[in-house]
Amino acid sequence: MCIMPVGEGAIRVTTGRESELADIDCAGSGEAAAHDRAWAAPLSTRIRTLPSAREIATWLARQLTRQAERWSLWTPVSLGLGSGLYFTLPREPQVWLAWLGAAMVGALLLLASRWRPNRGVTAALVLAACAIGGFSAAKLRTEHVKAPLAPTKGPPVRIEGWVLDISSPGQGGRRLLIAPARIGEWPQNATPIRVRVTLKGGYTPAPGEPISLLAVVNAPPQPASPGAYDFARDAYFQSIGGVGFALGTPQSWEPDAPPPWRLRLTMRVNAIRWTLTRRIVEAMGVEEGGLAAAMTTGHDAFIPPAQVNDLRAAGLAHIISISGLHMAIVGGFVFAGVRLIIAAWPWLALRIDGKKTAAFLGLAAVLGYLVLSGSPPPAERSAITAAVAFGAILVGRQAISLHALALAAMAVLLLQPEAVTQPGFQMSFAATAALVALAEAWPQPVREISAPWWIRGLQAVRTWTVAAVAVSLVAGLATAPFAMQHFNRISTWGLVANLASEPISSLVMMPGLALGAALSPFGLGQAPLDMAGFAIALMNRIATAIAGWPYAQLTVASGPEWTLAAAFLGLLWLCLWKGPLRWLGLPFAMAVSLVPKPATPDAWIAADGSAVAVRSAGQAVLFRPDVKLFGAELWARRRGLDPSGGEALRDIGYDCDHWSCAPRAGAPVRLAAAWNLRRPLKDGRIEALCGSAEVIVLRDDFPAGICPGKLVLTGAAFAAGGSAELYRRADGSWRAVWAQSLRGRRPWTWGPDLR
């Protein structure tokens, strides 16, 4: 309790909780209170009585003292910085550095234990240990998952193995995740652990089936453009060493020996998931069943593309991926339901701890949902966070707090250090940290004692409405920098869409799907699935309507790479620092928006030279709109451009045939391209391309000296450098930026032919 004078002859009595929320220091009477009153005075008064250097130093010391109980919140930040440093290195460090780092961590922690009376020294030593430990954990994790990669280019091979799972569909169609037993004549020590293959269509084998199919298998793809997100790194940490496409229909295969028991168990679980997926889709139809299956089992193979586009434009795409929202709904629904049942049964409520029992069953529900979803990395991270929250209840601690979130982040980063580079982790923990910080700062409502029930009802509606708006707004603002940098999209009406859909998904859709999935094997799941289907149909109508509103989705160019790290640290500073100095993090949190965008390239070329796009009046004009469309669109959005079709080529000054394009006078970029492969161009075509262009892109290899005086990029250059961006200098010369040079020499950037 704190007693404070508030005026002549009056005092104010506050509780400890009120003092904390009001930022009141009960010991802050005398000199400290005077300092606070001086800083809270009007600006004109402060200008006339500027504080001295000693007063400023004293005030800063007080602000630092207030962080005494919060420095431990920075341990996962330090751990993440160490892991992030590892992933930014241009070359792979030696493994002995990781073991040396582990030894240094032990030494620093031992030293910190001897400096307990000095809290500042202890904090510095522990944070340094976390940073070094993050670096070592990332390196050891990389060594642990190291596995063979497929060659960069190779002839078709026959894959014999087991279908492990059905992956998310790509632009080419449905994809299989295969655990190969043999791949062509490849040696066993050069055979990838997992291979992902896109099917041509038709029959899709179920998980667990042994199959044989002819396919083209290459190393995981490079970034679509220099500096773009590296999907090969994700594939590496998921043990996917090859990707490709099938050249025929999968056939049955008789293995010589059964697969290992762990593989059999995984395939059995995935077979159950796939069966449940098909059952949900058959019961609800593709329109609602595809999304229902994605949220239940993680299989999004049945979601119509138009539905995905509407959800993305409306800012509801997070519904598709199983993440923290779904885990919170499932765990919270079970927790609340069990507590209600126990409280309604007096005999049982007197004999067991209802809260801890509900927490235990909620944790079991989260773990069961994790298995049912196939345990994708986002679901694993969310399950760890939920497990920490329920574990805190079981040991009598506060479930939702920044300390619990810090513990969850530490667990995730120690188990999956690569998560620090992934948008899902960044957005999830940024939003969660912002919401928990909001909960800490949220004023406690005053409870009316003798107010009529209808007044209390109106007050409750007002409180929940304001809270819902605040939660959606804060979560949207916290994730906005990452959505802008990674996905280059802003959903203008995302707040409205989430406010409209949140009650539907939390109160109707997810409970219906949970009950439907649990009762479906017994033939009793149709009623809850119908309820969930109604909710999904309503949410789809909301998404479709909002996606059609003006400026529903805006394209934003990515900022410099360092701005994302600055935004993350600025946001964490806002959430973790206690006191007025927390607002120093605001400009850093807005770095992605405030810092000027990098110069826009004049042209983009795919990693194999088969596709080209040029910049013209804010558009990315594609030379071959039907080739490498995903990469071209990703590059265009990343640079803040809108991709357009090939029908604009002639209008802006290009003459194209089936095999090449050449610029005419007035073309925005004097670039010519020929993508003939295994077929020579017509006589004189090369000379015509060289004569009309300053830059010539040739997919095949050509002898040196072709097109003298011009910038010529051939197949050999693309094999070594990957995708490229071209910039025209002020003096008229050209500069090429290559993806491979920015990736460095890391295990996920190498192929067997480069080692």
Side-chain angles (χ1 to χ4, degrees):
M1 179 175 294
C2 182
I3 302 177
M4 301 180 60
V6 295
E8 184 175 355
I11 61 172
R12 178 187 175 192
V13 181
T14 63
T15 64
R17 174 60 178 167
E18 292 173 333
S19 300
E20 180 182 354
L21 293 175
D23 202 17
I24 297 172
D25 188 353
C26 290
S29 58
E31 182 182 357
H35 282 308
D36 284 345
R37 288 194 297 271
W39 282 95
L43 180 60
S44 59
T45 304
R46 294 205 305 268
I47 293 176
R48 291 195 299 268
T49 58
L50 292 176
S52 65
R54 181 178 179 181
E55 291 174 327
I56 294 176
T58 302
W59 184 80
L60 291 176
R62 289 188 61 241
Q63 299 305 314
L64 288 175
T65 303
R66 298 180 65 182
Q67 316 308 315
E69 301 300 327
R70 297 173 75 89
W71 70 265
S72 60
L73 299 176
W74 292 94
T75 52
V77 180
S78 183
L79 188 70
L81 289 175
S83 299
L85 175 63
Y86 166 80
F87 287 105
T88 59
L89 295 179
R91 301 187 71 88
E92 187 66 19
Q94 298 293 325
V95 70
W96 62 266
L97 285 174
W99 295 114
L100 176 62
M104 292 177 62
V105 169
L108 288 172
L109 293 179
L110 180 62
L111 188 60
S113 65
R114 298 180 178 274
W115 284 83
R116 287 185 177 179
N118 193 322
R119 190 182 292 267
V121 175
T122 300
L125 292 174
V126 171
L127 293 178
C130 288
I132 298 173
F135 184 94
S136 298
K139 173 59 181 176
L140 295 176
R141 166 76 169 162
T142 301
E143 293 295 321
H144 177 69
V145 301
K146 182 181 292 184
L149 297 179
T152 304
K153 291 183 179 180
V157 292
R158 180 158 293 279
I159 303 175
E160 295 176 340
W162 295 270
V163 177
L164 182 62
D165 201 1
I166 313 297
S167 297
S168 299
Q171 285 192 338
R174 195 166 293 175
R175 300 186 292 184
L176 300 180
L177 184 62
I178 300 174
R182 286 189 298 271
I183 300 181
E185 301 298 327
W186 296 2
Q188 196 64 31
N189 60 358
T191 301
I193 297 177
R194 301 288 182 265
V195 173
R196 191 175 60 216
V197 177
T198 300
L199 299 179
K200 296 183 66 175
Y203 170 68
T204 300
E209 290 189 29
I211 64 168
S212 172
L213 76 162
L214 186 65
V216 174
V217 180
N218 298 314
Q222 306 171 12
S225 64
Y229 191 74
D230 197 343
F231 295 97
R233 182 175 55 209
D234 285 354
Y236 177 87
F237 285 99
Q238 295 175 25
S239 298
I240 299 176
V243 298
F245 55 91
L247 299 178
T249 304
Q251 302 174 359
S252 180
W253 169 66
E254 293 294 335
D256 299 330
W261 70 269
R262 289 185 179 179
L263 182 59
R264 292 200 304 270
L265 179 61
T266 302
M267 290 189 298
R268 180 58 181 165
V269 172
N270 290 338
I272 295 174
R273 294 174 51 235
W274 182 246
T275 301
L276 180 59
T277 296
R278 298 182 67 89
R279 189 175 295 159
I280 291 174
V281 173
E282 291 173 359
M284 302 177 63
V286 175
E287 192 70 26
E288 288 81 25
L291 186 58
M295 291 185 293
T296 305
T297 65
H299 284 303
D300 53 3
F302 295 97
I303 305 179
Q307 185 177 346
V308 175
N309 293 334
D310 287 343
L311 290 171
R312 185 178 293 124
L316 298 175
H318 59 86
I319 293 290
I320 301 174
S321 174
I322 295 177
S323 55
L325 173 65
H326 305 77
M327 291 291 177
I329 293 175
V330 170
F333 179 75
V334 173
F335 178 79
V338 172
R339 287 203 71 180
L340 179 62
I341 293 173
I342 294 176
W345 190 355
W347 181 88
L348 187 62
L350 293 174
R351 288 165 174 79
I352 65 174
D353 189 323
K355 186 176 182 180
K356 292 186 177 181
T357 303
F360 177 79
L361 294 178
L363 177 59
V366 166
L367 296 179
Y369 187 31
L370 176 65
V371 174
L372 183 63
S373 67
S375 303
E380 289 181 352
R381 295 192 292 265
S382 303
I384 292 173
T385 305
V388 170
F390 285 124
I393 296 176
L394 291 175
V395 298
R397 299 294 182 90
Q398 186 176 352
I400 301 177
S401 68
L402 287 174
H403 288 282
L405 180 64
L407 181 60
M410 289 282 287
V412 170
L413 290 173
L414 287 174
L415 294 173
Q416 300 175 351
E418 70 276 9
V420 74
T421 67
Q422 297 171 347
F425 172 83
Q426 297 167 2
M427 298 177 75
S428 175
F429 275 89
T432 306
L435 292 177
V436 176
L438 175 66
E440 284 189 346
W442 194 264
Q444 296 296 316
V446 178
R447 295 189 176 184
E448 300 286 350
I449 298 177
S450 58
W453 66 268
W454 59 272
I455 293 181
R456 293 198 303 269
L458 291 176
Q459 291 175 337
V461 171
R462 181 197 61 186
T463 300
W464 282 104
T465 301
V466 173
V469 173
V471 166
S472 296
L473 180 62
V474 168
L477 292 176
T479 57
F482 308 96
M484 294 168 60
Q485 188 75 358
H486 288 297
F487 307 114
N488 307 110
R489 292 188 178 97
I490 294 179
S491 299
T492 309
W493 309 107
L495 176 61
V496 177
N498 280 278
L499 286 175
S501 63
E502 185 65 28
I504 301 171
S505 61
S506 302
L507 302 178
V508 182
M509 182 174 62
M510 290 303 297
L513 292 177
L515 291 174
L519 299 176
S520 181
F522 308 102
L524 303 175
Q526 189 61 47
L529 288 180
D530 289 341
M531 179 180 69
F534 171 78
I536 292 174
L538 183 58
M539 189 173 64
N540 283 337
R541 285 196 289 271
I542 293 173
T544 302
I546 294 179
W549 289 4
Y551 307 104
Q553 187 171 242
L554 303 178
T555 301
V556 181
S558 297
E561 291 188 7
W562 64 267
T563 58
L564 189 63
F568 206 173
L569 293 176
L571 179 65
L572 292 175
W573 184 275
L574 283 168
C575 297
L576 304 184
W577 192 269
K578 187 177 182 180
L581 289 180
R582 72 176 5 158
W583 298 110
L584 292 176
L586 183 60
F588 295 94
M590 300 175 64
V592 175
S593 302
L594 297 179
V595 174
K597 308 300 181 186
T600 306
D602 293 281
W604 164 84
I605 310 168
D608 60 355
S610 63
V612 176
V614 296
R615 175 170 59 90
S616 175
Q619 287 190 329
V621 183
L622 314 182
F623 280 15
R624 305 177 71 190
D626 56 341
V627 176
K628 304 292 183 183
L629 182 59
F630 173 79
E633 291 180 342
L634 190 148
W635 170 77
R637 290 197 308 271
R638 187 167 181 267
R639 295 308 183 186
L641 305 174
D642 292 325
S644 66
E647 66 277 3
L649 283 173
R650 178 167 294 277
D651 297 338
I652 65 173
Y654 290 92
D655 288 326
C656 300
D657 56 26
H658 193 64
W659 302 107
S660 61
C661 273
R664 300 194 313 266
V669 181
R670 300 195 62 81
L671 181 147
W675 43 83
N676 60 312
L677 196 61
R678 307 184 194 94
R679 177 180 297 184
L681 291 173
K682 296 179 180 179
D683 293 340
R685 185 59 173 169
I686 288 292
E687 289 75 10
L689 298 179
C690 294
S692 62
E694 299 173 357
V695 180
I696 297 91
V697 177
L698 303 173
R699 187 180 184 186
D700 288 345
D701 290 328
F702 282 82
I706 189 172
C707 300
K710 306 294 181 69
L711 175 61
V712 181
L713 307 177
T714 64
F718 295 114
S723 58
E725 291 177 331
L726 301 180
Y727 296 82
R728 187 182 181 90
R729 298 189 178 97
D731 60 1
S733 61
W734 290 88
R735 176 172 65 94
V737 178
W738 299 91
Q740 288 289 60
S741 63
L742 298 180
R743 298 176 78 199
R745 303 281 291 184
R746 309 303 297 272
W748 48 88
T749 68
W750 301 347
D753 51 340
L754 299 177
R755 296 184 179 182

